[in-house]
Amino acid sequence: MRYISTRGRTEALSFQDAVLTGLAPDGGLLVPARIPDVSSELDSLAGLGFVELAKAILPRFIDDIPQPHIEHLVDAAYRSFSEPGVVRLETAGDIPVLELFHGPTLAFKDVALQLLGQMFDYILKARGQRLNILGATSGDTGSAAIAGVRGRPAMDIFVMYPHGRVSPLQELQMTTVTDDNVHCIAVEGSFDDCQGLMKRIFGDLDFKAAYALGAINSVNWARVLAQIVYYGYASLQLPGPVSFCVPTGNFGNVFAGYLAKRMGFPIHRLVVATNENDILSVFFRTGLYRRGQVRFTISPSMDIQVASNLERFLYYHLDEDTAALQGFMDTFDRTGEAQLQAPGEELFLATTVDTPNTMAAIRQVYLETGYVADPHTAVGLAAARRLKAEGKVEGTLACLATAHAAKFPEAVDEAVGKPVARHPTLDGLKDKRFRRTVIPADIDAVKELIQNRAGQSSL
Ligand SMILES: *Cc1c(COP(=O)(O)O)cnc(C)c1O
């Protein structure tokens, strides 16, 4: 399988090159040259667990890693999950809930980042290369990325976060990982400062080449690929056709569901559920894509205004017309907004759930069903309950649960009115040794740190 850029000005890449490249050189996102069709095999695929389904699906997108090696990578990636089946189908009353948070950092990003860590390691070793991963995080992504690559000699990971502005729990999830190749950088500034520093360092092409800098953010194709599997799995386990309600920020998760449907899995509709940062829900209702100010909410991993993965969907929505897509993105970059026909009425539904309604959903779902939902999952549950009450979705509507409630104890305990959000993994963190470096929001300080630390652990 070859990978092509949504902007059409990059030569097609192999899977391995697509994984190492992340963002295409022409500024676009990489997508497979064609979408494999599994619609004639659903009966046999329906008998498979998550791990077996991953082994059946991934090779259709990967032709430069031998099948036994892919199987080995999948086994190694998902061994770190506490749930033997990796994901778990639960229920909150009459709503099926697909729990994706049984990985090492208790958020759904582990499903993709555990596999991506294995793939990086495999590809770098085969090529005799090293990689220095640089990322900026406001919380969740940093710890999942660190958990994916900790202890791997072919890589160092440098994660910047705003000093004093991530939750103490989130900081401990990153800084208590004391493998030599993990470098947590508390930047004296805001999350925007961290992202600005990252962009400037990636923009310094000499430095980027000299230190083999790589990114691990959600534009990486391998992350989408890992996420397709659980949509396929759940669509075959539940009475179908199944619709999915997805709490969304960057559109990475919803896009994986879109591809699973295009592959022929029995998926009916996809519900785009946002918090007050509603750029995506406005877009899917009206076709207007307009950037606003980021609002800070109790579901911080969805406090995003520009959804980087939407570009992949737009590429298909515009019938793979790269010039039309380039025009749309240029207009958006220049003016902060761009307009299309309202996309995919028959496939997508979209709705916004604000903070009071999210808190109410956590409380009501707990009182009515006993299910403890984290604030991100609760945005999805509130959206699902609303759409069902309005009669907008027929058939099974399953919610994706993206984080364990114990990652966000303040909001969850307050909503329920008593302490319900606990997890042993997190309880133990407070007593652990932690390690971080505090630096000013200054590009030279970051570069110096990378220069001094890169590759030290493997010497
Ligand atoms: C990242 C994240 C999301 C949003 O996922 P996208 O792929 O960016 O839409 C939702 N919930 C949690 C807990 C997350 O960590």
Side-chain angles (χ1 to χ4, degrees):
M1 178 74 81
R2 309 292 286 173
Y3 288 84
I4 54 178
S5 167
T6 51
R7 308 263 174 118
R9 284 180 283 107
T10 295
E11 251 184 84
L13 299 174
S14 69
F15 174 79
Q16 292 196 17
D17 286 328
V19 171
L20 289 190
T21 302
L23 197 68
D26 63 9
L29 274 69
L30 294 165
V31 290
R34 66 186 167 72
I35 300 174
D37 184 357
V38 298
S39 54
S40 63
E41 304 164 54
L42 296 181
D43 285 344
S44 60
L45 295 176
L48 304 181
F50 174 88
V51 169
E52 282 64 44
L53 188 63
K55 292 174 182 174
I57 296 300
L58 266 50
R60 298 167 201 238
F61 290 93
I62 307 173
D63 57 11
D64 55 354
I65 302 179
Q67 167 96 21
H69 293 192
I70 297 176
E71 295 189 3
H72 178 79
L73 295 175
V74 168
D75 283 329
Y78 297 120
R79 206 173 286 142
S80 60
F81 280 58
S82 62
E83 179 67 29
V86 182
V87 300
R88 181 154 86 196
L89 274 167
E90 275 283 340
T91 53
D94 59 352
I95 300 181
V97 176
L98 179 63
E99 292 185 346
L100 305 171
F101 54 68
H102 297 289
T105 73
L106 309 182
F108 92 101
K109 292 188 173 70
D110 288 328
V111 178
L113 285 166
Q114 286 294 311
L115 185 68
L116 183 57
Q118 294 290 340
M119 286 183 165
F120 272 147
D121 199 48
Y122 176 90
I123 298 169
L124 292 169
K125 277 185 183 147
R127 298 182 174 197
Q129 293 176 359
R130 294 196 86 262
L131 190 66
N132 290 302
I133 294 160
L134 177 64
T137 184
S138 55
D140 266 358
T141 311
S143 55
I146 288 170
V149 306
R150 61 184 295 182
R152 300 185 184 285
M155 285 165 270
D156 279 88
I157 182 164
F158 297 85
V159 174
M160 296 183 278
Y161 62 91
H163 185 38
R165 298 190 205 180
V166 299
S167 84
L169 205 55
Q170 286 180 323
E171 182 170 27
L172 285 173
Q173 276 196 297
M174 296 189 276
T175 57
T176 54
V177 179
T178 51
D179 298 79
D180 289 342
N181 71 330
V182 174
H183 314 281
C184 295
I185 310 175
V187 174
E188 289 172 322
S190 65
F191 174 61
D192 282 341
D193 292 329
C194 295
Q195 267 195 318
L197 286 167
M198 188 174 89
K199 281 206 182 121
R200 285 175 60 205
I201 293 175
F202 275 104
D204 180 342
L205 297 182
D206 291 335
F207 187 85
K208 182 171 180 246
Y211 287 91
L213 288 191
I216 202 163
N217 51 20
S218 68
V219 302
N220 197 299
W221 165 253
R223 288 186 59 175
V224 176
L225 181 53
Q227 294 173 181
I228 291 172
V229 179
Y230 53 71
Y231 282 95
Y233 171 76
S235 75
L236 295 173
Q237 296 302 311
L238 294 165
V242 184
S243 298
F244 289 98
C245 185
V246 191
T248 306
N250 249 321
F251 203 70
N253 206 359
V254 189
F255 179 71
Y258 173 75
L259 275 190
K261 181 179 169 75
R262 296 271 310 242
M263 288 176 71
F265 285 107
I267 295 169
H268 183 40
R269 279 169 168 261
L270 295 167
V271 178
V272 176
T274 67
N275 64 23
E276 285 95 328
N277 296 284
D278 61 355
I279 176 168
L280 284 176
S281 99
V282 171
F283 174 67
F284 279 96
R285 278 180 284 131
T286 67
L288 175 66
Y289 192 51
R290 177 191 279 163
R291 182 170 26 219
Q293 281 286 319
V294 176
R295 311 259 293 271
F296 295 99
T297 74
I298 56 170
S299 45
S301 297
M302 299 171 8
D303 292 346
I304 287 167
Q305 279 294 331
V306 178
S308 47
N309 259 292
L310 186 72
E311 176 158 346
R312 287 193 167 108
F313 166 72
L314 291 172
Y315 169 78
Y316 291 110
H317 182 64
L318 295 169
D319 293 325
E320 308 181 16
D321 179 344
T322 54
L325 177 68
Q326 180 83 56
F328 183 89
M329 296 312 294
D330 284 348
T331 306
F332 179 72
D333 286 342
R334 214 175 45 245
T335 66
E337 62 178 76
Q339 176 85 48
L340 281 182
Q341 296 269 323
E345 269 294 303
E346 66 295 341
L347 174 55
F348 291 100
L349 287 166
T351 191
T352 298
V353 179
D354 63 12
T355 300
N357 278 307
T358 307
M359 292 290 277
I362 295 173
R363 181 176 177 77
Q364 282 162 9
V365 168
Y366 176 75
L367 292 178
E368 289 167 23
T369 74
Y371 192 83
V372 181
D374 101 285
H376 303 79
T377 306
V379 166
L381 285 167
R385 287 158 65 103
R386 184 186 293 165
L387 293 172
K388 278 171 75 110
E390 292 170 356
K392 293 222 176 101
V393 210
E394 331 77 67
T396 308
L397 176 57
C399 282
L400 300 195
T402 53
H404 193 286
K407 289 198 83 167
F408 304 95
E410 295 83 6
V412 175
D413 291 349
E414 188 193 323
V416 169
K418 61 181 180 191
V420 288
R422 293 292 169 271
H423 193 285
T425 311
L426 300 180
D427 287 341
L429 287 182
K430 287 182 288 295
D431 309 318
K432 279 196 172 172
R433 201 161 65 84
F434 72 95
R435 196 179 59 181
R436 65 167 193 216
T437 308
V438 181
I439 64 167
D442 171 53
I443 184 164
D444 292 322
V446 183
K447 283 184 173 173
E448 198 182 306
L449 199 137
I450 295 173
Q451 281 162 342
N452 290 337
R453 304 263 188 92
Q456 294 301 312
S457 62
S458 58
L459 294 182

